[in-house]
Amino acid sequence: MATVKARGQVTIVDLNDAKQVQLVMSIKHPVQMYNPDTKVYTPNFGSDNNVVTPKVYVTGNGTNLVSKLTTLKYEVGGTVIAAGATSGQYTVAAIPAGGALTIKGNITGNSLPIKITAVYHDDETQQDTTLEAQGFVVKTANAGALFQVVLTQPKGNSFDASNNISTLTAEAKCFRGGTQDTDGITYKWYSLNLKTQTWELLTQGIATTGGVSTLSVKANDVLNVQTFKCEAIDGADRAEAIVTFEDRTDPYSLELFSPTGLQIKNGQGSTTLCARLYRGGELIESETTSSQKFTYTWTKFDKNGAKSNFAGTSSAQKTGNPLTVSANDIEQKATFYCEVSQ
């Protein structure tokens, strides 16, 4: 039986031929709740500071390379703070200390936009690359007894070569109007099957106590990237939330790109999707490899996320690398999932 080595997904980001440098941010508390009746913030960033952690990855390398940044700055709700500086309720650590942003005050508007701009220096090529990442913290204002479930990732959301973490967790807490509810809550956890785009119920790795449910995720549970969903039930009330984990230490990683772009205009023409397979930091196979040793299976999903047959065929799957996508394959938009096996 063929063994799946890596997988990826692309929605028809125009990437160049070089290794890609990616800047991502991990937000400790992506949501803050506020009850206008009681004036209570949950969590209160004054006592439970929110922390935004930058991470830099190069294709095929599982190490967080934030130390390779030469400059780093944040723009937080219009306030600019450089690495090693403080402005009001915002403090940014120096780059050698990780460059994390600490937010010590509650959100006053509906959301707090966060933009990170950094310059990455490649020691091999001596080239500098400007990187950007954007995100936000949302404030939900709920009076009364609106039922919500909030997920946090206390240890972060990625396995990488620099943190040596074997298990990550997602923690679920329920709230009504900004006040934690721990009585009579039932939790269910699901894993997203990326191949079928369906949610599968989990029965292991779950611990629930005191009205709080924790999902433990091991690196083996995550092939490159994996999304989980928590459903909270309290009588007739239901609430859902999702989290995503990444494994940057997987021996194989897949890079998908399109040299011809990810848009088809006026329903005409075609575009090409290419897959490049890395093991560690080494490119071992690409769309230009003459005798490919791996099998590349592409699955097409339509604009609604349902499996959709390729034009002129009776199958939602094709094999090969590269993959040619015709205008007839796209109705508004389509997503292509690639799985590599051997």
Side-chain angles (χ1 to χ4, degrees):
M1 175 180 285
T3 301
V4 177
K5 299 296 186 181
R7 61 192 180 193
Q9 177 175 301
V10 60
T11 300
I12 273 209
V13 155
D14 188 1
L15 305 178
N16 59 33
D17 292 344
K19 287 186 181 181
Q20 301 304 305
V21 184
Q22 184 181 25
L23 172 64
V24 297
M25 66 171 74
S26 173
I27 304 176
K28 178 182 177 182
H29 298 300
V31 177
Q32 183 179 52
M33 288 176 289
Y34 175 67
N35 189 325
D37 292 341
T38 61
K39 313 299 182 186
V40 172
Y41 288 87
T42 306
N44 189 319
F45 293 163
S47 55
D48 185 3
N49 299 161
N50 203 358
V51 179
V52 179
T53 304
K55 298 181 180 182
V56 177
Y57 297 103
V58 175
T59 300
N61 189 334
T63 301
N64 178 9
L65 300 176
V66 70
S67 62
K68 296 295 185 181
L69 297 180
T70 56
T71 66
L72 171 69
K73 68 178 181 181
Y74 290 80
E75 184 176 345
V76 187
T79 301
V80 177
I81 317 102
T86 296
S87 179
Q89 62 187 15
Y90 309 124
T91 297
V92 179
I95 292 174
L101 165 70
T102 299
I103 302 172
K104 301 179 181 180
N106 296 316
I107 299 175
T108 56
N110 294 325
S111 65
L112 184 66
I114 302 170
K115 177 181 177 180
I116 307 176
T117 304
V119 174
Y120 170 81
H121 181 72
D122 190 316
D123 291 335
E124 292 183 7
T125 64
Q126 297 300 309
Q127 296 295 310
D128 291 332
T129 303
T130 299
L131 308 172
E132 286 189 359
Q134 299 189 49
F136 51 86
V137 181
V138 175
K139 184 180 78 174
T140 60
N142 298 309
L146 180 66
F147 184 64
Q148 291 180 292
V149 60
V150 175
L151 303 184
T152 57
Q153 295 161 290
K155 298 180 181 179
N157 68 343
S158 65
F159 299 94
D160 64 44
S162 57
N163 60 28
N164 293 318
I165 293 176
S166 60
T167 303
L168 295 173
T169 59
E171 188 176 85
K173 295 181 180 179
C174 287
F175 296 85
R176 290 185 183 274
T179 300
Q180 187 175 353
D181 185 353
T182 61
D183 187 31
I185 310 295
T186 299
Y187 292 94
K188 293 182 179 179
W189 290 89
Y190 301 83
S191 173
L192 178 62
N193 185 320
L194 292 174
K195 190 170 185 177
T196 63
Q197 297 291 295
T198 57
W199 293 103
E200 299 177 345
L201 181 66
L202 298 176
T203 58
Q204 297 181 334
I206 302 165
T208 302
T209 181
V212 178
S213 186
T214 301
L215 173 69
S216 295
V217 178
K218 297 184 180 299
N220 288 341
D221 299 325
V222 180
L223 178 56
N224 299 153
V225 61
Q226 184 62 54
T227 300
F228 298 90
K229 178 176 73 172
C230 179
E231 180 184 37
I233 305 169
D234 186 9
D237 294 327
R238 291 174 178 265
E240 296 180 350
I242 64 173
V243 291
T244 298
F245 290 94
E246 298 178 339
D247 189 356
R248 302 280 179 168
T249 67
D250 281 333
Y252 292 91
S253 61
L254 187 65
E255 176 186 277
L256 303 181
F257 74 102
S258 172
T260 52
L262 294 176
Q263 291 183 338
I264 290 179
K265 297 182 179 180
N266 302 320
Q268 297 181 353
S270 64
T271 191
T272 302
L273 299 180
C274 301
R276 291 182 176 176
L277 187 64
Y278 291 84
R279 183 170 52 212
E282 179 187 1
L283 175 65
I284 60 172
E285 195 166 277
S286 74
E287 76 285 358
T288 62
T289 303
S290 56
S291 299
Q292 295 179 352
K293 299 179 180 179
F294 296 84
T295 300
Y296 298 80
T297 304
W298 302 81
T299 306
K300 175 188 165 188
F301 297 88
D302 66 16
K303 61 182 179 181
N304 298 314
K307 276 188 178 181
S308 174
N309 292 343
F310 282 89
T313 76
S314 59
S315 174
Q317 291 188 330
K318 281 188 175 182
T319 59
N321 182 26
L323 173 74
T324 299
V325 179
S326 72
N328 293 332
D329 286 315
I330 311 299
E331 183 182 353
Q332 294 185 10
K333 74 173 185 178
T335 297
F336 297 86
Y337 166 87
C338 181
E339 186 171 85
V340 182
S341 59
Q342 187 181 44

